[in-house]
Each structure stands twice: as C-alpha cells, then as structure tokens.
Amino acid sequence: MADAASEIEQLREALRHHLYLYHVLDKPEIADAEYDVLYRRLTELEADNPELVAPDSPTQRVGQPASELFAPVKHRERLFSLDNVESTEALTAWEERLERQLGEKPSGYMCELKIDGLAVSLTYTDGSLTKAATRGDGTTGEDITANARTIGAVPLVLRGEAPSVMEVRGEIYMPLPEFERLNKDQEASGQALYANARNTAAGSVRQKDPAVTASRRLSIWVYQVGFIEGGPELTRHSEIAAWLRELGFPFNPASEAVADLKGVIDYVNAAEKARHARDYETDGVVIKADVLAEQREAGFTAKSPRWAVAYKFPPEERTTVLADIRINVGRTGAATPYAVLEPVIVGGVTVTTATLHNADEVARKDLRVGDTVTVRRAGDVIPEVVGPVLALRKGRPRRWKMPETCPFSGHPIVRDGAVAYCTGGFDCPGRLREYLAHFAGRDGMDIEGLGYKTVDLLLTEKLISDPADLFTLRAGDLLGREGWGEVSTGNLIGAIAAAKDQPLERLLRALGIPLVGGTVASTLARRFRSMDKIMSSPEDELDAIDGIGPELVASVQVWAGDAENRALIAKLQRAGVRTEDPEPEGVDSTVLAGVTIVLTGTMRSMSREEARNAVEDRGGKVTSSVSSKTTAVAVGESPGSKATRAEELGRPILDEEAFHDLLENGPGELLE
Ligand code: IVH
C-alpha cells in the first residue's frame, strides 16, 4: 500500500514535470507514447487504490463535478479590454499620450502576441486551480472550471511556492493542426465545416460535457496576473512573465521586452511576417508598459488600460492563380460564379474557392481565367478575390461569360437583375442538393445528422427527389447500407420524425423562398400562423406588414403562385409535416404594443430566437439597430456595440432580469 502510494506520487510528479516541459518550456524530453505509458500506469494504480485518487492528479482532468458549469462568476477585478491601433502613426500617438501622462517616455515595453482565442480567468487557491471563468462582460463571466481542467496546458497545481490566492488571465485557443483535424472529421462525416479556430475554441469551451472539451485538445497562453494575495515583489511585467513560467504557466515565449518604440515596431513587423508560420492564430501584438509603477501611474479609462494597446494586423492578402470560374446552383436556383483557385494559405486557412457573387462582379473586377489574382481574408470574413494582378497577366486571356445553360441540369439560365437562375427547378441536381442540405440544416428544419453526405446518398440512391420525400423514408431504405447500422438509422429516422413538428417559422426558412430569412419568416409565421394563409394572402395584406417591403411581397407571391411549390406544400402536409402554429397560450398579445426592443449579447435564460419570439408574441417589435425610436435595449452577456449606442442615445438598458420583468408586466414608464 505504502509502495502504491509512493509510486502514485512519483508518477504524478513525473507527469506534471513532462507537461511543464512540453507546454511551458517547449522542450519535451520524452515522446508522447512514453508519456502515455506513465499515464496508463498511474490510471491502473489509481483504479486499484481508489482511496488514493486525488482531484489534482493528472488523470482527473475529466470527470470532476460539472454542476457549476456556466453559472455566473463575478470577477474579483474587472477584466479590461484593449484599445486598438492599426498603424505605426497611431502607435506613436499612443506613446505620446502615455509620455504626457508619465512626464517621460516609459522605461521599456513588453511585446506579446495577441492570441485570437477566448479570454479566461483562472483562480488558484493555495496553488490549486479552484475556478476558471470566461471573461464575459469583463465584470461577470461564466464558470468553466470543469472544462478548463481538461486542457493539458492549464496547470491543476502550481510548482514551487504559490501565493495563497492568485488569479491569472490568458487566452484559450485551438491550435491550428487541431482545427484542421477537426474539420477533416467533419468533412468525412459530411457535416458542416467549422468557420475558424477562434469560434471553434469558444464553442469547445462552451460544451456541457467536459469530455467533449477534452477531445478538442485546446491550449492556453497566459498573459496577465489579476487579483493576487502574497507572491514576490516584482517591478516589471517581464519579471511577472518569468515568475508565471516558474509557477508552471505557459507564458508565450514569443514575448519580448524591448527598450523603446523602435523595438516595438521591429517586433510588430517580425510578428506579422511570422504570423502564419505559427500553429495558432494571432491577430496582432499587445504592447504593455513594462514597469509596473508606470502602469499604476497611467491607470485605466472606463474600458481599457492606458498603459497597454493592441496593434491589430491588417487583413491579409496573398496572390494565387485563378484556375477556373465555375458556377454553383444554390438552393433558390441562383447560379453563382465562383473562383477555383490554386490553393493558397490566407489568414491561416487554406483557400481553394471564393464566391464571385454574380456575373457583373466578375466583369467589374475584370477577372479572367489564368490571371494571377489577389485574395484577401480578414478575421472571420470569408475569402474574397480582390482583383487581378494586371502586371502578371500573360497574353490575352478570354473574358468569362455566364453559361447559357446550367451545367447540372442543361436547362437555360436566365437573368433577373444581377442574379442568374437555372430554370430547371427541382430537376436541377445541383440546386436540389443545396436545397435539401439547407432544408434539413441548422437554418432550416434542423434535422440532426442530415448533412451533405447523407443528402448525396439519398439522391444517388434515388430514395428522395424532393424535401417531402424525407418524411416518408423508412428505416429499411437505409439499413444495411455502408455506415448505416441500427443506431445511426434509428437516429436519423427519429430526427426526421421529430422535425415534422417544427414551428412554421422553421418551415418557412427551410423552404428557401427568395429573400425570406429568419426575421421575415418569424414575422410571417407570427402574423398568419398558417402556411395556407401565407400562400393565399393578397398582396395588400402582405404589404401592410411592418418589415415586409414590396420586393418581399413580390417574392412571396411569385413563390406561392408556382405550381411546383404548391405541390410541395401539399405533399409535405400529406406526409404529416405541421404547417400551422397553435395560438400562444397564457400570453397577453398586447402587453408590449408599441414597444420596440433591440437585443444584444447572450442571455442566460433564453436564446436570441426565444427572446425575439417572446417580445413578438406580446405584440412588441424587435429591431436590429438602436435609434431614438427604440423603447429599450435588452442586454445579455458580452453585449456588442448596440449597448454603447444605446448609452449614446440615452435609451434605457435592461439587464436580463429587467427584460423578464418587461415581458411579464409591460413597459410601464419606459414608454413615456
Ligand atoms: S492583455 C489589461 N495580452 O485581447 C490587459 N490581452 O482586447 C488586458 N488578448 O480581452 C489584456 N492576447 O482576450 C492581453 N497577450 C495578450 C493578449 C490579450 C490576446 C486578448 C484578451 C483581451 C483582448 C483585448
């Protein structure tokens, strides 16, 4: 027993040491497989001696109580954000302001990479991780302790002498190789790809099951100490960095203390050059006055420290060859040209295609197949072809024209304004595929597990030829095909059956009526509560609805007048799909009459969609931008610029509780 206890302790020490070498010093001494051997041995010993299992054992990263997950956490000290600069001129102006405040230039700067991830706060009590929380609005975040524990780079216990309480801030991120691995898996299973590593990291931390977070292999760079009790007397941020490393925190080794602004500018230039050679995304450089006394002297504005600033990298541009221009027929039948590019890495992501929007756009940019073109990607933004590099144009490449017939269906392509359409309707396999994927997708009927891959199977096996056919699929149609066992088949058939009962709003979105997006679908569903009524409503009735302009009226009417669409609705009804919404119960549909609400941030108690429905069910209106006509702005966690705008315009701001009060009791004096 004593032997087991001491072996367990030795193994834990060894595993912690190797994690430290790997994550903090970036100098692993053993291979992953050797680490796994030690880890497995510890797991075995702990299984045989359950009384020796301790929560801070390296084996206990997953499986700790997750009951507090996402509960609000009030930060002991506010987590500030940073002002941005985008040029050396603005950076110089920042230093000049700082110099005026301090009476002299700062004595040195610390330059750090700005990590594009998710800001978190980690609290250690007597050297053990006791709380991890998201930044939230800077004052209150969400408890993510159970999920943060699963991240190997987050120390569970600190090395050496730790202060009695200390809070460390940092950025959780998803390493790019991990992001690519995840997307390969998504692709292989026919599911939608994740857009970027940042959002995927945030989504991974927001999982209800810590085992899912663990499977995502996230990492962290810490960059700041918050609240602290005890600890050594240090005078510079760069000394704090070294001390954090000693305690076992990964403080990015790419950080550098420099003497003056010239040093900062050199660092920024080098960091930007090396930007895509790293295996994590950076969106700039954070520059901090290094001397802590100077930081205290400079202080904070309402939003950010005066002693630090973020230099944001410009959107990245690369050149590559435009190998072809092809068209894609979308779910509405619109034929959209897109660029086929020789693969090029832009902003950390390999780009092989980019939409060209429409034929006019291709002509305006004068893009020709074979041209060397500039491709741009800024942050989350989808890649864009900026234009040809004319100096590199060889010979006289041909101009591109929209084909006269659809490459998928052979039907004529006709133009309506800027948009070209395939006239083949559901006979066009290109359109049908997009239509079905959208119909079943997250913005449509939300049928889990019905992505492109399954759509392709259903189409090639001729099991369906329109969306209504989905609802008469039987288990026997799929069972026994490759990848379709009892469980997966049962899940899909179950998900399809459940989708029959989706609210009318979802059906409306799923149907892909041109111009009908989420807001319009919700308005129409609320006003008519029935598909048949929408289809037969006269022009003036539609026109009278707030938020429905003449173009939309025309679009809905053209769609409703189309025989193919009418047949589809009838077929959906026969298959048992609900096309009507019940009247809401127990809700006073006039309590918010005359009230206009803007929603921003994430509410804890309801989704954005639910909040909007709640307002609309009570006769109120939800708009997307704040104006003098806004009754109030309801603010959840991490509110956007709308909250600031509300302050500027002097419009009332409601927190979540006040918003519920409004729903319950009406606007009261808000309307005066
Ligand atoms: S320092 C008081 N350092 O950028 C100092 N922030 O808008 C506040 N970030 O919310 C932050 N890398 O999430 C700092 N090396 C770094 C950073 C960093 C990324 C994020 C952080 C913060 C945002 C600032």
Side-chain angles (χ1 to χ4, degrees):
M1 187 65 179
D3 281 358
S6 73
E7 189 181 351
I8 283 177
E9 211 29 67
Q10 276 171 22
L11 283 165
R12 285 180 188 159
E13 275 309 308
L15 288 169
R16 281 181 195 131
H17 176 68
H18 290 301
L19 280 178
Y20 170 73
L21 292 176
Y22 182 85
H23 290 291
V24 183
L25 300 188
D26 193 20
K27 281 199 189 96
E29 282 173 1
I30 60 173
D32 291 1
E34 294 171 77
Y35 181 91
D36 292 343
V37 170
L38 298 175
Y39 186 92
R40 266 201 304 277
R41 174 73 186 139
L42 178 57
T43 320
E44 281 163 19
L45 283 172
E46 288 180 338
D48 292 343
N49 302 278
E51 70 287 358
L52 296 178
V53 177
D56 60 10
S57 170
T59 59
Q60 302 301 302
R61 287 186 171 267
V62 187
Q64 289 295 304
S67 52
E68 299 273 286
L69 210 50
F70 309 132
V73 173
K74 195 144 174 61
H75 298 302
R76 291 224 213 184
E77 269 170 26
R78 180 161 166 201
L79 274 67
F80 283 87
S81 60
L82 293 171
D83 285 340
N84 293 330
V85 294
E86 283 171 8
S87 63
T88 39
E89 290 76 29
L91 188 62
T92 311
W94 170 75
E95 179 181 64
E96 281 165 7
R97 277 197 302 279
L98 197 53
E99 184 179 351
R100 276 200 299 278
Q101 269 176 334
L102 300 175
E104 59 187 335
K105 278 194 201 300
S107 327
Y109 295 104
M110 180 73 158
C111 300
E112 295 165 15
L113 298 178
K114 186 167 188 304
I115 309 302
D116 201 7
L118 175 79
V120 293
S121 141
L122 306 173
T123 303
Y124 289 80
T125 315
D126 297 325
S128 290
L129 176 67
T130 44
K131 187 71 76 192
T134 60
R135 174 179 188 277
D137 62 5
T139 312
T140 312
E142 285 180 323
D143 192 317
I144 53 159
T145 314
N147 288 344
R149 286 179 61 94
T150 71
I151 300 171
V154 171
L156 297 181
V157 277
L158 301 182
R159 300 160 55 85
E161 220 167 291
S164 56
V165 182
M166 92 182 282
E167 193 228 310
V168 175
R169 289 148 188 203
E171 199 88 352
I172 292 181
Y173 65 92
M174 178 169 282
L176 290 171
E178 173 65 5
F179 175 65
E180 276 153 27
R181 181 193 68 83
L182 211 60
N183 261 348
K184 280 214 184 84
D185 286 358
Q186 289 290 106
E187 200 173 1
S189 61
Q191 286 172 287
L193 298 191
Y194 295 105
N196 59 63
R198 203 213 83 85
N199 290 359
T200 316
S204 304
V205 169
R206 294 200 45 87
Q207 294 292 325
K208 287 198 193 101
D209 179 0
V212 177
T213 310
S215 76
R216 298 284 168 86
R217 286 173 244 166
L218 299 166
S219 197
I220 191 172
W221 292 121
V222 305
Y223 51 67
Q224 201 75 22
V225 171
F227 177 85
I228 186 160
E229 245 172 50
E233 296 276 318
L234 300 173
T235 58
R236 284 182 174 260
H237 180 64
S238 48
E239 292 169 7
I240 294 184
W243 177 58
L244 285 172
R245 284 198 194 106
E246 283 169 27
L247 289 173
F249 290 106
F251 194 105
N252 196 333
S255 316
E256 205 174 302
V258 300
D260 51 22
L261 203 64
K262 179 175 177 310
V264 171
I265 292 168
D266 289 346
Y267 182 93
V268 167
N269 290 335
E272 196 181 331
K273 269 214 196 80
R275 188 173 176 195
H276 300 298
R278 304 184 194 284
D279 70 0
Y280 48 87
E281 297 233 39
T282 58
D283 56 352
V285 171
V286 179
I287 301 121
K288 303 173 181 172
D290 197 23
V291 175
L292 302 179
E294 290 175 356
Q295 293 188 359
R296 280 191 289 273
E297 169 100 28
F300 294 81
T301 67
K303 207 176 117 272
S304 44
R306 293 199 185 85
W307 44 266
V309 75
Y311 185 104
K312 294 275 261 186
F313 293 142
E316 211 210 350
E317 293 193 347
R318 282 274 177 284
T319 58
T320 187
V321 172
L322 176 60
D324 199 1
I325 296 177
R326 295 190 197 149
I327 69 161
N328 176 41
V329 177
R331 61 187 161 87
T332 60
T336 309
Y338 66 95
V340 178
L341 302 163
E342 280 182 11
V344 60
I345 297 178
V346 193
V349 169
T350 306
V351 176
T352 52
T353 58
T355 178
L356 297 170
H357 304 289
N358 56 53
D360 293 344
E361 185 82 358
V362 179
R364 190 180 63 73
K365 289 182 173 162
D366 188 24
L367 293 170
R368 319 227 187 141
V369 172
D371 272 347
T372 298
V373 293
T374 307
V375 179
R376 174 161 64 196
R377 205 181 144 261
D380 290 1
V381 180
I382 49 172
E384 175 196 15
V385 177
V386 182
V389 183
L390 289 176
L392 295 178
R393 182 173 279 172
K394 291 185 212 87
R396 299 169 128 257
R398 239 175 348 105
R399 286 202 170 77
W400 178 83
K401 266 195 7 240
M402 180 64 78
E404 277 163 21
T405 55
C406 170
F408 300 101
S409 73
H411 284 81
I413 287 180
V414 296
R415 256 184 91 145
D416 179 10
V419 185
Y421 289 94
C422 164
T423 49
F426 289 137
D427 288 342
C428 175
R431 177 194 178 189
L432 187 57
R433 174 175 191 264
E434 294 295 333
Y435 187 90
L436 287 166
H438 164 80
F439 183 88
R442 259 180 266 168
D443 286 336
M445 299 296 265
D446 201 15
I447 305 174
E448 174 113 23
L450 189 41
Y452 279 100
K453 197 176 163 195
T454 307
V455 166
D456 288 342
L457 172 78
L458 296 174
L459 287 175
T460 44
E461 296 297 325
K462 301 211 169 7
L463 291 168
I464 59 171
S465 59
D466 65 36
D469 289 339
L470 288 172
F471 297 98
T472 48
L473 270 180
R474 279 175 310 218
D477 295 333
L478 287 166
L479 210 58
R481 293 179 193 273
E482 200 189 323
W484 292 94
E486 294 274 351
V487 176
S488 50
T489 304
N491 285 347
L492 182 64
I493 299 293
I496 291 174
K500 287 184 181 173
D501 204 34
Q502 287 283 24
L504 179 57
E505 172 181 349
R506 280 212 167 263
L507 178 63
L508 277 167
R509 278 160 72 173
L511 288 169
I513 305 167
L515 306 180
V516 176
T519 318
V520 175
S522 154
T523 308
L524 290 174
R526 219 148 282 281
R527 174 72 182 72
F528 292 99
R529 301 202 171 278
S530 141
M531 194 67 214
D532 290 337
K533 285 190 188 142
I534 294 171
M535 308 257 301
S536 60
S537 75
E539 187 177 330
D540 51 348
E541 198 175 331
L542 284 167
D543 209 26
I545 303 173
D546 226 4
I548 310 276
E551 279 185 19
L552 249 161
V553 174
S555 175
V556 170
Q557 293 223 305
V558 167
W559 191 89
D562 184 289
E564 198 175 24
N565 294 331
R566 301 185 79 87
L568 173 63
I569 298 299
K571 193 169 166 189
L572 285 166
Q573 286 167 334
R574 282 199 303 278
V577 175
R578 175 148 84 75
T579 60
E580 286 182 2
D581 277 351
E583 294 293 328
E585 272 172 50
V587 166
D588 175 353
S589 63
T590 58
V591 65
L592 294 184
V595 168
T596 304
I597 298 294
V598 172
L599 301 167
T600 177
T602 319
M603 298 213 178
R604 267 185 254 293
S605 58
M606 48 171 83
S607 68
R608 180 65 62 88
E609 196 172 333
E610 287 165 344
R612 190 184 50 187
N613 290 348
V615 172
E616 290 176 353
D617 282 343
R618 289 161 178 79
K621 228 167 77 177
V622 173
T623 59
S624 57
S625 61
V626 186
S627 75
S628 57
K629 294 195 192 103
T630 307
T631 313
V633 178
V635 176
E637 191 176 304
S638 317
S641 58
K642 291 173 194 170
T644 327
R645 181 88 184 118
E647 271 174 38
E648 283 166 13
L649 290 176
R651 304 316 303 150
I653 295 185
L654 308 179
D655 63 13
E656 201 164 335
E657 203 179 319
F659 177 64
H660 282 286
D661 186 61
L662 172 82
L663 295 177
E664 196 101 330
N665 303 315
E669 45 201 50
L670 283 178
L671 265 193
E672 271 136 44

